[in-house]
């Protein structure tokens, strides 16, 4: 069987990345508009910041290898759902679900799946809300629904995420049980802090 021309493979890959980058631009713009519209109606923007990224080539390859899949553009699109990623930070836990509702109601945005780590945290203590959505990317001759992963969590939890990275979760180093225990304790304290800050805001709002 003839091997595919390397130039064709590279062109196909670049075209795929173009779709993902375009999907990030489309989704980011929608989120910015939703936040400003919410501010206009409620004098408050639940979205504090928006960050986006394209997964590195190395990370894409590692993910396919872990799944036991050949490295191809088709397999990337089928099995790597977080090639394009957006992180939304908010101030209060209630904002998480407010943002989820705003995204879910968007015309043309389809929610493929979600995982509520806020209600069901990971063993490490990680709390967030993850969504896989398809975003319509308008090309010159067609519209292509393109997957984007969206993570939503509070600003306090983002501090914890950075700590998690430093202690080695993302680097796949061995971490002692003592460190893991302290990390979970920090996550619980952040959850308590988030809860108390929300209570203060609600009391102020009712006054």
């Amino acid at each position: 069987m003839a091997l595919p021309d390397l130039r064709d493979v590279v062109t196909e890959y670049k075209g795929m990345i173009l779709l993902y980058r375009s999907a990030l631009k489309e989704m980011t713009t929608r989120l910015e508009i939703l936040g400003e519209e919410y501010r206009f109606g409620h004098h408050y923007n639940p979205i504090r910041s928006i960050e986006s990224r394209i997964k590195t080539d190395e990370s894409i390859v590692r993910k396919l290898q872990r799944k036991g899949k050949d490295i191809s553009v088709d397999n990337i699109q089928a099995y790597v759902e977080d090639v394009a990623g957006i992180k939304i930070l908010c101030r209060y836990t209630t904002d998480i679900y407010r943002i989820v509702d705003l995204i879910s109601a968007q015309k043309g945005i389809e929610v493929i799946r979600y995982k509520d780590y806020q209600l069901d945290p990971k063993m490490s203590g990680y709390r967030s809300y993850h969504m896989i959505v398809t975003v319509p990317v308008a090309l010159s001759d067609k519209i292509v629904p393109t997957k984007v992963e969206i993570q939503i969590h509070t600003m306090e939890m983002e501090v914890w995420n950075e700590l998690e990275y430093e202690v080695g979760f993302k680097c796949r180093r061995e971490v002692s049980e003592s460190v893991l225990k302290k990390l979970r304790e920090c996550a619980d304290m952040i959850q308590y802090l988030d809860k108390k800050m929300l209570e203060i805001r609600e009391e102020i709002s009712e006054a």
Side-chain angles (χ1 to χ4, degrees), residues 137-199:
V137 176
L139 301 180
S140 59
D141 59 343
K142 59 185 175 180
I143 294 177
V144 183
T146 305
K147 290 178 185 177
V148 174
E149 182 196 50
I150 302 174
Q151 298 181 11
I152 313 168
H153 50 254
T154 64
M155 294 185 292
E156 289 75 27
M157 198 63 203
E158 177 63 8
V159 175
W160 184 93
N161 288 342
E162 293 175 359
L163 176 62
E164 181 196 39
Y165 183 92
E166 288 180 14
V167 299
F169 272 81
K170 306 301 182 185
C171 299
R172 295 173 176 81
R173 294 197 303 263
E174 288 296 325
V175 180
S176 70
E177 183 57 38
S178 173
V179 170
L180 295 177
K181 181 174 181 291
K182 290 175 181 176
L183 196 60
R184 289 191 290 267
E185 289 172 349
C186 286
D188 290 339
M189 286 188 281
I190 288 172
Q191 179 71 358
Y192 177 79
L193 176 61
D194 281 338
K195 180 182 177 182
K196 288 301 176 183
M197 290 177 65
L198 177 60
E199 289 176 358

